[in-house]
Amino acid sequence: GAGVSQSPSNKVTEKGKDVELRCDPISGHTALYWYRQSLGQGLEFLIYFQGNSAPDKSGLPSDRFSAERTGGSVSTLTIQRTQQEDSAVYLCASSLAMTRNYGYTFGSGTRLTVV
Amino acid sequence: GENVEQHPSTLSVQEGDSAVIKCTYSDSASNYFPWYKQELGKGPQLIIDIRSNVGEKKDQRIAVTLNKTAKHFSLHITETQPEDSAVYFCAATTRGSQGNLIFGKGTKLSVKP
């Protein structure tokens, strides 16, 4: 597609449930990133994938968070046993490559609300 | 690791005036500095970027300056218009060109007609 696509755009879940957030990057982009944006806050790095290399998971806030990227394209961010503090907008971005500094293209995000 | 500080957190200007947003970074190996604009309900959009071998870059009404010695960079918007109202984020790479972007906390710009 022309841009980064994220689904769902909104998700309301009960505390303790698991959720899966999906990201379809721009075709041909080898680097994919997940960020979290809490209300009125900046962008908190979560995880990135670069080609077939092992992902950098250093930003994941707890072991309840995990992410996969299948076939070097679509990525899924999974949050297990959701807590109210997980409520935020989860943003996915992709770029041509991590090296040589290509700008990110962001999706519109998934707004997650844990009730 | 890299730390990016951004000021001010909010900025209000009259239409037609200039707006300046400043950022500092801590990692001297950083060499790429993009700026993003985020409108309500949308993801951030890249508006301009600068690499460490350049001191200034312009694109119509927006410009970015970089001072590598002082480790700070700034976004300048001239002849502001109401549609410039948004949240602006600066960012810097970590570990030179091998790392992900670290973002500032954002500046909410309001342009009053």
Side-chain angles (χ1 to χ4, degrees), chain A residues 1-36:
Chain A
V4 177
S5 178
Q6 291 189 246
S7 61
S9 55
N10 282 282
K11 176 72 176 178
V12 180
T13 190
E14 293 181 351
K15 178 181 174 181
K17 300 282 189 181
D18 298 351
V19 294
E20 285 189 354
L21 313 179
R22 177 187 169 102
C23 173
D24 278 282
I26 292 173
S27 178
H29 280 195
T30 60
L32 185 148
Y33 317 83
W34 284 97
Y35 284 81
R36 177 169 71 174

PDB file of all heavy atoms in Angstrom, chain A residues 1-36:
ATOM      1  N   GLY A   1       0.816  -1.189   0.000  1.00  0.00           N
ATOM      2  CA  GLY A   1       0.000   0.000   0.000  1.00  0.00           C
ATOM      3  C   GLY A   1       0.861   1.256   0.000  1.00  0.00           C
ATOM      4  O   GLY A   1       2.076   1.204   0.112  1.00  0.00           O
ATOM      5  N   ALA A   2       0.205   2.390  -0.067  1.00  0.00           N
ATOM      6  CA  ALA A   2       0.904   3.650  -0.168  1.00  0.00           C
ATOM      7  C   ALA A   2       1.500   4.092   1.152  1.00  0.00           C
ATOM      8  O   ALA A   2       2.446   4.872   1.172  1.00  0.00           O
ATOM      9  CB  ALA A   2      -0.044   4.712  -0.696  1.00  0.00           C
ATOM     10  N   GLY A   3       0.914   3.634   2.245  1.00  0.00           N
ATOM     11  CA  GLY A   3       1.378   4.077   3.544  1.00  0.00           C
ATOM     12  C   GLY A   3       1.449   2.915   4.517  1.00  0.00           C
ATOM     13  O   GLY A   3       1.218   1.759   4.161  1.00  0.00           O
ATOM     14  N   VAL A   4       1.768   3.241   5.780  1.00  0.00           N
ATOM     15  CA  VAL A   4       1.781   2.240   6.839  1.00  0.00           C
ATOM     16  C   VAL A   4       0.354   2.086   7.360  1.00  0.00           C
ATOM     17  O   VAL A   4      -0.283   3.077   7.711  1.00  0.00           O
ATOM     18  CB  VAL A   4       2.731   2.672   7.968  1.00  0.00           C
ATOM     19  CG1 VAL A   4       2.677   1.662   9.109  1.00  0.00           C
ATOM     20  CG2 VAL A   4       4.156   2.808   7.427  1.00  0.00           C
ATOM     21  N   SER A   5      -0.116   0.865   7.382  1.00  0.00           N
ATOM     22  CA  SER A   5      -1.479   0.600   7.808  1.00  0.00           C
ATOM     23  C   SER A   5      -1.488  -0.102   9.159  1.00  0.00           C
ATOM     24  O   SER A   5      -0.780  -1.090   9.346  1.00  0.00           O
ATOM     25  CB  SER A   5      -2.191  -0.274   6.766  1.00  0.00           C
ATOM     26  OG  SER A   5      -3.497  -0.589   7.181  1.00  0.00           O
ATOM     27  N   GLN A   6      -2.283   0.404  10.086  1.00  0.00           N
ATOM     28  CA  GLN A   6      -2.402  -0.219  11.405  1.00  0.00           C
ATOM     29  C   GLN A   6      -3.854  -0.586  11.674  1.00  0.00           C
ATOM     30  O   GLN A   6      -4.774   0.152  11.303  1.00  0.00           O
ATOM     31  CB  GLN A   6      -1.919   0.731  12.504  1.00  0.00           C
ATOM     32  CG  GLN A   6      -0.419   0.983  12.468  1.00  0.00           C
ATOM     33  CD  GLN A   6       0.043   1.738  13.696  1.00  0.00           C
ATOM     34  OE1 GLN A   6       0.490   2.878  13.600  1.00  0.00           O
ATOM     35  NE2 GLN A   6      -0.051   1.104  14.852  1.00  0.00           N
ATOM     36  N   SER A   7      -4.020  -1.730  12.325  1.00  0.00           N
ATOM     37  CA  SER A   7      -5.369  -2.144  12.697  1.00  0.00           C
ATOM     38  C   SER A   7      -5.361  -2.859  14.042  1.00  0.00           C
ATOM     39  O   SER A   7      -4.353  -3.476  14.404  1.00  0.00           O
ATOM     40  CB  SER A   7      -5.954  -3.066  11.618  1.00  0.00           C
ATOM     41  OG  SER A   7      -5.167  -4.231  11.469  1.00  0.00           O
ATOM     42  N   PRO A   8      -6.453  -2.748  14.817  1.00  0.00           N
ATOM     43  CA  PRO A   8      -7.563  -1.839  14.559  1.00  0.00           C
ATOM     44  C   PRO A   8      -7.167  -0.400  14.831  1.00  0.00           C
ATOM     45  O   PRO A   8      -6.121  -0.143  15.424  1.00  0.00           O
ATOM     46  CB  PRO A   8      -8.630  -2.322  15.551  1.00  0.00           C
ATOM     47  CG  PRO A   8      -7.824  -2.835  16.709  1.00  0.00           C
ATOM     48  CD  PRO A   8      -6.592  -3.464  16.097  1.00  0.00           C
ATOM     49  N   SER A   9      -7.989   0.558  14.459  1.00  0.00           N
ATOM     50  CA  SER A   9      -7.678   1.952  14.759  1.00  0.00           C
ATOM     51  C   SER A   9      -7.997   2.263  16.218  1.00  0.00           C
ATOM     52  O   SER A   9      -7.351   3.108  16.837  1.00  0.00           O
ATOM     53  CB  SER A   9      -8.461   2.887  13.839  1.00  0.00           C
ATOM     54  OG  SER A   9      -9.847   2.616  13.917  1.00  0.00           O
ATOM     55  N   ASN A  10      -8.991   1.569  16.740  1.00  0.00           N
ATOM     56  CA  ASN A  10      -9.358   1.711  18.154  1.00  0.00           C
ATOM     57  C   ASN A  10      -9.631   0.342  18.738  1.00  0.00           C
ATOM     58  O   ASN A  10     -10.191  -0.527  18.071  1.00  0.00           O
ATOM     59  CB  ASN A  10     -10.622   2.574  18.309  1.00  0.00           C
ATOM     60  CG  ASN A  10     -10.343   4.040  18.167  1.00  0.00           C
ATOM     61  OD1 ASN A  10      -9.844   4.675  19.069  1.00  0.00           O
ATOM     62  ND2 ASN A  10     -10.673   4.585  17.013  1.00  0.00           N
ATOM     63  N   LYS A  11      -9.230   0.163  20.007  1.00  0.00           N
ATOM     64  CA  LYS A  11      -9.472  -1.090  20.683  1.00  0.00           C
ATOM     65  C   LYS A  11      -9.763  -0.812  22.149  1.00  0.00           C
ATOM     66  O   LYS A  11      -8.966  -0.163  22.828  1.00  0.00           O
ATOM     67  CB  LYS A  11      -8.244  -2.004  20.561  1.00  0.00           C
ATOM     68  CG  LYS A  11      -8.338  -3.321  21.320  1.00  0.00           C
ATOM     69  CD  LYS A  11      -9.301  -4.275  20.667  1.00  0.00           C
ATOM     70  CE  LYS A  11      -9.318  -5.621  21.367  1.00  0.00           C
ATOM     71  NZ  LYS A  11     -10.312  -6.556  20.750  1.00  0.00           N
ATOM     72  N   VAL A  12     -10.909  -1.294  22.603  1.00  0.00           N
ATOM     73  CA  VAL A  12     -11.249  -1.204  24.018  1.00  0.00           C
ATOM     74  C   VAL A  12     -11.251  -2.627  24.557  1.00  0.00           C
ATOM     75  O   VAL A  12     -11.890  -3.515  23.980  1.00  0.00           O
ATOM     76  CB  VAL A  12     -12.628  -0.552  24.238  1.00  0.00           C
ATOM     77  CG1 VAL A  12     -12.947  -0.489  25.741  1.00  0.00           C
ATOM     78  CG2 VAL A  12     -12.654   0.846  23.634  1.00  0.00           C
ATOM     79  N   THR A  13     -10.532  -2.859  25.630  1.00  0.00           N
ATOM     80  CA  THR A  13     -10.431  -4.193  26.180  1.00  0.00           C
ATOM     81  C   THR A  13     -10.555  -4.157  27.689  1.00  0.00           C
ATOM     82  O   THR A  13     -10.295  -3.126  28.319  1.00  0.00           O
ATOM     83  CB  THR A  13      -9.107  -4.855  25.771  1.00  0.00           C
ATOM     84  OG1 THR A  13      -9.133  -6.239  26.132  1.00  0.00           O
ATOM     85  CG2 THR A  13      -7.924  -4.195  26.475  1.00  0.00           C
ATOM     86  N   GLU A  14     -10.936  -5.264  28.251  1.00  0.00           N
ATOM     87  CA  GLU A  14     -11.034  -5.355  29.699  1.00  0.00           C
ATOM     88  C   GLU A  14      -9.679  -5.677  30.301  1.00  0.00           C
ATOM     89  O   GLU A  14      -8.892  -6.439  29.720  1.00  0.00           O
ATOM     90  CB  GLU A  14     -12.058  -6.428  30.089  1.00  0.00           C
ATOM     91  CG  GLU A  14     -13.480  -6.075  29.726  1.00  0.00           C
ATOM     92  CD  GLU A  14     -14.462  -7.150  30.159  1.00  0.00           C
ATOM     93  OE1 GLU A  14     -14.007  -8.241  30.591  1.00  0.00           O
ATOM     94  OE2 GLU A  14     -15.675  -6.917  30.056  1.00  0.00           O
ATOM     95  N   LYS A  15      -9.445  -5.144  31.454  1.00  0.00           N
ATOM     96  CA  LYS A  15      -8.208  -5.427  32.182  1.00  0.00           C
ATOM     97  C   LYS A  15      -8.020  -6.933  32.317  1.00  0.00           C
ATOM     98  O   LYS A  15      -8.963  -7.661  32.631  1.00  0.00           O
ATOM     99  CB  LYS A  15      -8.281  -4.780  33.565  1.00  0.00           C
ATOM    100  CG  LYS A  15      -7.073  -5.031  34.445  1.00  0.00           C
ATOM    101  CD  LYS A  15      -7.273  -4.358  35.806  1.00  0.00           C
ATOM    102  CE  LYS A  15      -6.143  -4.706  36.754  1.00  0.00           C
ATOM    103  NZ  LYS A  15      -6.327  -4.095  38.088  1.00  0.00           N
ATOM    104  N   GLY A  16      -6.804  -7.394  32.008  1.00  0.00           N
ATOM    105  CA  GLY A  16      -6.497  -8.808  32.121  1.00  0.00           C
ATOM    106  C   GLY A  16      -6.581  -9.565  30.810  1.00  0.00           C
ATOM    107  O   GLY A  16      -6.064 -10.688  30.708  1.00  0.00           O
ATOM    108  N   LYS A  17      -7.229  -8.979  29.809  1.00  0.00           N
ATOM    109  CA  LYS A  17      -7.332  -9.629  28.505  1.00  0.00           C
ATOM    110  C   LYS A  17      -6.062  -9.392  27.702  1.00  0.00           C
ATOM    111  O   LYS A  17      -5.309  -8.458  27.944  1.00  0.00           O
ATOM    112  CB  LYS A  17      -8.527  -9.067  27.726  1.00  0.00           C
ATOM    113  CG  LYS A  17      -9.874  -9.257  28.403  1.00  0.00           C
ATOM    114  CD  LYS A  17     -10.375 -10.669  28.242  1.00  0.00           C
ATOM    115  CE  LYS A  17     -11.816 -10.761  28.728  1.00  0.00           C
ATOM    116  NZ  LYS A  17     -12.351 -12.138  28.612  1.00  0.00           N
ATOM    117  N   ASP A  18      -5.837 -10.263  26.707  1.00  0.00           N
ATOM    118  CA  ASP A  18      -4.736 -10.093  25.776  1.00  0.00           C
ATOM    119  C   ASP A  18      -5.222  -9.333  24.541  1.00  0.00           C
ATOM    120  O   ASP A  18      -6.369  -9.486  24.133  1.00  0.00           O
ATOM    121  CB  ASP A  18      -4.192 -11.448  25.327  1.00  0.00           C
ATOM    122  CG  ASP A  18      -3.627 -12.279  26.469  1.00  0.00           C
ATOM    123  OD1 ASP A  18      -3.497 -11.742  27.598  1.00  0.00           O
ATOM    124  OD2 ASP A  18      -3.309 -13.458  26.238  1.00  0.00           O
ATOM    125  N   VAL A  19      -4.334  -8.542  23.939  1.00  0.00           N
ATOM    126  CA  VAL A  19      -4.680  -7.837  22.700  1.00  0.00           C
ATOM    127  C   VAL A  19      -3.559  -8.013  21.682  1.00  0.00           C
ATOM    128  O   VAL A  19      -2.393  -8.171  22.046  1.00  0.00           O
ATOM    129  CB  VAL A  19      -4.936  -6.329  22.921  1.00  0.00           C
ATOM    130  CG1 VAL A  19      -6.168  -6.105  23.782  1.00  0.00           C
ATOM    131  CG2 VAL A  19      -3.724  -5.641  23.517  1.00  0.00           C
ATOM    132  N   GLU A  20      -3.936  -7.957  20.415  1.00  0.00           N
ATOM    133  CA  GLU A  20      -2.973  -8.000  19.316  1.00  0.00           C
ATOM    134  C   GLU A  20      -3.181  -6.793  18.425  1.00  0.00           C
ATOM    135  O   GLU A  20      -4.299  -6.512  17.993  1.00  0.00           O
ATOM    136  CB  GLU A  20      -3.151  -9.283  18.499  1.00  0.00           C
ATOM    137  CG  GLU A  20      -2.615 -10.523  19.157  1.00  0.00           C
ATOM    138  CD  GLU A  20      -2.609 -11.727  18.214  1.00  0.00           C
ATOM    139  OE1 GLU A  20      -3.127 -11.607  17.084  1.00  0.00           O
ATOM    140  OE2 GLU A  20      -2.078 -12.772  18.609  1.00  0.00           O
ATOM    141  N   LEU A  21      -2.098  -6.094  18.155  1.00  0.00           N
ATOM    142  CA  LEU A  21      -2.140  -4.932  17.286  1.00  0.00           C
ATOM    143  C   LEU A  21      -1.327  -5.245  16.034  1.00  0.00           C
ATOM    144  O   LEU A  21      -0.226  -5.791  16.136  1.00  0.00           O
ATOM    145  CB  LEU A  21      -1.561  -3.703  18.006  1.00  0.00           C
ATOM    146  CG  LEU A  21      -2.064  -3.460  19.432  1.00  0.00           C
ATOM    147  CD1 LEU A  21      -1.381  -2.228  20.018  1.00  0.00           C
ATOM    148  CD2 LEU A  21      -3.564  -3.315  19.473  1.00  0.00           C
ATOM    149  N   ARG A  22      -1.868  -4.838  14.883  1.00  0.00           N
ATOM    150  CA  ARG A  22      -1.244  -5.229  13.623  1.00  0.00           C
ATOM    151  C   ARG A  22      -0.676  -4.025  12.880  1.00  0.00           C
ATOM    152  O   ARG A  22      -1.269  -2.936  12.915  1.00  0.00           O
ATOM    153  CB  ARG A  22      -2.275  -5.939  12.737  1.00  0.00           C
ATOM    154  CG  ARG A  22      -1.773  -6.341  11.360  1.00  0.00           C
ATOM    155  CD  ARG A  22      -2.914  -6.886  10.507  1.00  0.00           C
ATOM    156  NE  ARG A  22      -2.512  -7.045   9.115  1.00  0.00           N
ATOM    157  CZ  ARG A  22      -2.192  -8.214   8.562  1.00  0.00           C
ATOM    158  NH1 ARG A  22      -2.222  -9.324   9.282  1.00  0.00           N
ATOM    159  NH2 ARG A  22      -1.843  -8.286   7.296  1.00  0.00           N
ATOM    160  N   CYS A  23       0.443  -4.261  12.201  1.00  0.00           N
ATOM    161  CA  CYS A  23       1.061  -3.206  11.396  1.00  0.00           C
ATOM    162  C   CYS A  23       1.473  -3.766  10.044  1.00  0.00           C
ATOM    163  O   CYS A  23       2.195  -4.759   9.972  1.00  0.00           O
ATOM    164  CB  CYS A  23       2.282  -2.643  12.116  1.00  0.00           C
ATOM    165  SG  CYS A  23       3.244  -1.466  11.118  1.00  0.00           S
ATOM    166  N   ASP A  24       1.012  -3.111   8.979  1.00  0.00           N
ATOM    167  CA  ASP A  24       1.437  -3.436   7.617  1.00  0.00           C
ATOM    168  C   ASP A  24       2.350  -2.320   7.133  1.00  0.00           C
ATOM    169  O   ASP A  24       1.881  -1.216   6.872  1.00  0.00           O
ATOM    170  CB  ASP A  24       0.230  -3.539   6.682  1.00  0.00           C
ATOM    171  CG  ASP A  24      -0.456  -4.870   6.761  1.00  0.00           C
ATOM    172  OD1 ASP A  24       0.078  -5.815   6.167  1.00  0.00           O
ATOM    173  OD2 ASP A  24      -1.508  -4.944   7.419  1.00  0.00           O
ATOM    174  N   PRO A  25       3.646  -2.573   7.016  1.00  0.00           N
ATOM    175  CA  PRO A  25       4.559  -1.502   6.609  1.00  0.00           C
ATOM    176  C   PRO A  25       4.470  -1.233   5.111  1.00  0.00           C
ATOM    177  O   PRO A  25       3.805  -1.955   4.374  1.00  0.00           O
ATOM    178  CB  PRO A  25       5.924  -2.080   6.974  1.00  0.00           C
ATOM    179  CG  PRO A  25       5.748  -3.561   6.786  1.00  0.00           C
ATOM    180  CD  PRO A  25       4.336  -3.846   7.217  1.00  0.00           C
ATOM    181  N   ILE A  26       5.166  -0.193   4.696  1.00  0.00           N
ATOM    182  CA  ILE A  26       5.244   0.108   3.266  1.00  0.00           C
ATOM    183  C   ILE A  26       6.051  -1.001   2.585  1.00  0.00           C
ATOM    184  O   ILE A  26       7.087  -1.434   3.107  1.00  0.00           O
ATOM    185  CB  ILE A  26       5.903   1.486   3.040  1.00  0.00           C
ATOM    186  CG1 ILE A  26       4.963   2.588   3.569  1.00  0.00           C
ATOM    187  CG2 ILE A  26       6.236   1.711   1.580  1.00  0.00           C
ATOM    188  CD1 ILE A  26       5.567   3.974   3.555  1.00  0.00           C
ATOM    189  N   SER A  27       5.558  -1.438   1.444  1.00  0.00           N
ATOM    190  CA  SER A  27       6.237  -2.510   0.718  1.00  0.00           C
ATOM    191  C   SER A  27       7.671  -2.117   0.395  1.00  0.00           C
ATOM    192  O   SER A  27       7.938  -1.015  -0.097  1.00  0.00           O
ATOM    193  CB  SER A  27       5.480  -2.798  -0.586  1.00  0.00           C
ATOM    194  OG  SER A  27       6.139  -3.806  -1.327  1.00  0.00           O
ATOM    195  N   GLY A  28       8.597  -3.031   0.719  1.00  0.00           N
ATOM    196  CA  GLY A  28      10.004  -2.763   0.439  1.00  0.00           C
ATOM    197  C   GLY A  28      10.757  -2.141   1.601  1.00  0.00           C
ATOM    198  O   GLY A  28      11.997  -2.083   1.575  1.00  0.00           O
ATOM    199  N   HIS A  29      10.042  -1.683   2.610  1.00  0.00           N
ATOM    200  CA  HIS A  29      10.712  -1.139   3.789  1.00  0.00           C
ATOM    201  C   HIS A  29      11.201  -2.283   4.662  1.00  0.00           C
ATOM    202  O   HIS A  29      10.416  -3.118   5.103  1.00  0.00           O
ATOM    203  CB  HIS A  29       9.760  -0.243   4.580  1.00  0.00           C
ATOM    204  CG  HIS A  29       9.624   1.135   4.014  1.00  0.00           C
ATOM    205  ND1 HIS A  29       9.068   2.173   4.724  1.00  0.00           N
ATOM    206  CD2 HIS A  29      10.000   1.641   2.815  1.00  0.00           C
ATOM    207  CE1 HIS A  29       9.102   3.276   3.983  1.00  0.00           C
ATOM    208  NE2 HIS A  29       9.655   2.971   2.821  1.00  0.00           N
ATOM    209  N   THR A  30      12.507  -2.293   4.930  1.00  0.00           N
ATOM    210  CA  THR A  30      13.063  -3.418   5.684  1.00  0.00           C
ATOM    211  C   THR A  30      13.059  -3.174   7.186  1.00  0.00           C
ATOM    212  O   THR A  30      13.162  -4.104   7.970  1.00  0.00           O
ATOM    213  CB  THR A  30      14.507  -3.709   5.236  1.00  0.00           C
ATOM    214  OG1 THR A  30      15.306  -2.537   5.464  1.00  0.00           O
ATOM    215  CG2 THR A  30      14.561  -4.057   3.757  1.00  0.00           C
ATOM    216  N   ALA A  31      12.963  -1.929   7.597  1.00  0.00           N
ATOM    217  CA  ALA A  31      12.978  -1.611   9.026  1.00  0.00           C
ATOM    218  C   ALA A  31      11.571  -1.284   9.508  1.00  0.00           C
ATOM    219  O   ALA A  31      10.816  -0.578   8.831  1.00  0.00           O
ATOM    220  CB  ALA A  31      13.911  -0.440   9.304  1.00  0.00           C
ATOM    221  N   LEU A  32      11.220  -1.801  10.678  1.00  0.00           N
ATOM    222  CA  LEU A  32       9.888  -1.576  11.252  1.00  0.00           C
ATOM    223  C   LEU A  32      10.039  -1.287  12.735  1.00  0.00           C
ATOM    224  O   LEU A  32      10.833  -1.944  13.415  1.00  0.00           O
ATOM    225  CB  LEU A  32       8.998  -2.805  11.026  1.00  0.00           C
ATOM    226  CG  LEU A  32       7.520  -2.706  11.457  1.00  0.00           C
ATOM    227  CD1 LEU A  32       6.643  -3.544  10.532  1.00  0.00           C
ATOM    228  CD2 LEU A  32       7.316  -3.107  12.883  1.00  0.00           C
ATOM    229  N   TYR A  33       9.275  -0.314  13.224  1.00  0.00           N
ATOM    230  CA  TYR A  33       9.414   0.155  14.604  1.00  0.00           C
ATOM    231  C   TYR A  33       8.044   0.248  15.263  1.00  0.00           C
ATOM    232  O   TYR A  33       7.058   0.572  14.611  1.00  0.00           O
ATOM    233  CB  TYR A  33      10.031   1.560  14.635  1.00  0.00           C
ATOM    234  CG  TYR A  33      11.197   1.769  13.692  1.00  0.00           C
ATOM    235  CD1 TYR A  33      10.982   2.073  12.358  1.00  0.00           C
ATOM    236  CD2 TYR A  33      12.511   1.668  14.148  1.00  0.00           C
ATOM    237  CE1 TYR A  33      12.031   2.266  11.485  1.00  0.00           C
ATOM    238  CE2 TYR A  33      13.572   1.862  13.281  1.00  0.00           C
ATOM    239  CZ  TYR A  33      13.326   2.156  11.951  1.00  0.00           C
ATOM    240  OH  TYR A  33      14.376   2.347  11.095  1.00  0.00           O
ATOM    241  N   TRP A  34       8.026   0.003  16.560  1.00  0.00           N
ATOM    242  CA  TRP A  34       6.834   0.248  17.379  1.00  0.00           C
ATOM    243  C   TRP A  34       7.173   1.287  18.440  1.00  0.00           C
ATOM    244  O   TRP A  34       8.218   1.201  19.103  1.00  0.00           O
ATOM    245  CB  TRP A  34       6.365  -1.028  18.064  1.00  0.00           C
ATOM    246  CG  TRP A  34       5.653  -2.008  17.185  1.00  0.00           C
ATOM    247  CD1 TRP A  34       6.179  -3.113  16.566  1.00  0.00           C
ATOM    248  CD2 TRP A  34       4.267  -2.007  16.842  1.00  0.00           C
ATOM    249  NE1 TRP A  34       5.206  -3.784  15.862  1.00  0.00           N
ATOM    250  CE2 TRP A  34       4.015  -3.130  16.017  1.00  0.00           C
ATOM    251  CE3 TRP A  34       3.189  -1.175  17.156  1.00  0.00           C
ATOM    252  CZ2 TRP A  34       2.761  -3.431  15.497  1.00  0.00           C
ATOM    253  CZ3 TRP A  34       1.931  -1.478  16.644  1.00  0.00           C
ATOM    254  CH2 TRP A  34       1.732  -2.596  15.820  1.00  0.00           C
ATOM    255  N   TYR A  35       6.272   2.255  18.568  1.00  0.00           N
ATOM    256  CA  TYR A  35       6.381   3.282  19.606  1.00  0.00           C
ATOM    257  C   TYR A  35       5.053   3.359  20.349  1.00  0.00           C
ATOM    258  O   TYR A  35       4.008   2.984  19.825  1.00  0.00           O
ATOM    259  CB  TYR A  35       6.691   4.660  19.002  1.00  0.00           C
ATOM    260  CG  TYR A  35       8.119   4.848  18.567  1.00  0.00           C
ATOM    261  CD1 TYR A  35       8.566   4.354  17.348  1.00  0.00           C
ATOM    262  CD2 TYR A  35       9.028   5.529  19.381  1.00  0.00           C
ATOM    263  CE1 TYR A  35       9.881   4.530  16.950  1.00  0.00           C
ATOM    264  CE2 TYR A  35      10.349   5.712  18.982  1.00  0.00           C
ATOM    265  CZ  TYR A  35      10.771   5.212  17.774  1.00  0.00           C
ATOM    266  OH  TYR A  35      12.076   5.385  17.380  1.00  0.00           O
ATOM    267  N   ARG A  36       5.110   3.868  21.560  1.00  0.00           N
ATOM    268  CA  ARG A  36       3.900   4.076  22.353  1.00  0.00           C
ATOM    269  C   ARG A  36       3.812   5.552  22.708  1.00  0.00           C
ATOM    270  O   ARG A  36       4.816   6.177  23.068  1.00  0.00           O
ATOM    271  CB  ARG A  36       3.956   3.219  23.632  1.00  0.00           C
ATOM    272  CG  ARG A  36       2.777   3.418  24.555  1.00  0.00           C
ATOM    273  CD  ARG A  36       2.750   2.370  25.639  1.00  0.00           C
ATOM    274  NE  ARG A  36       3.788   2.529  26.631  1.00  0.00           N
ATOM    275  CZ  ARG A  36       3.871   1.777  27.723  1.00  0.00           C
ATOM    276  NH1 ARG A  36       2.973   0.816  27.930  1.00  0.00           N
ATOM    277  NH2 ARG A  36       4.839   1.967  28.587  1.00  0.00           N
TER     278      ARG A  36
END
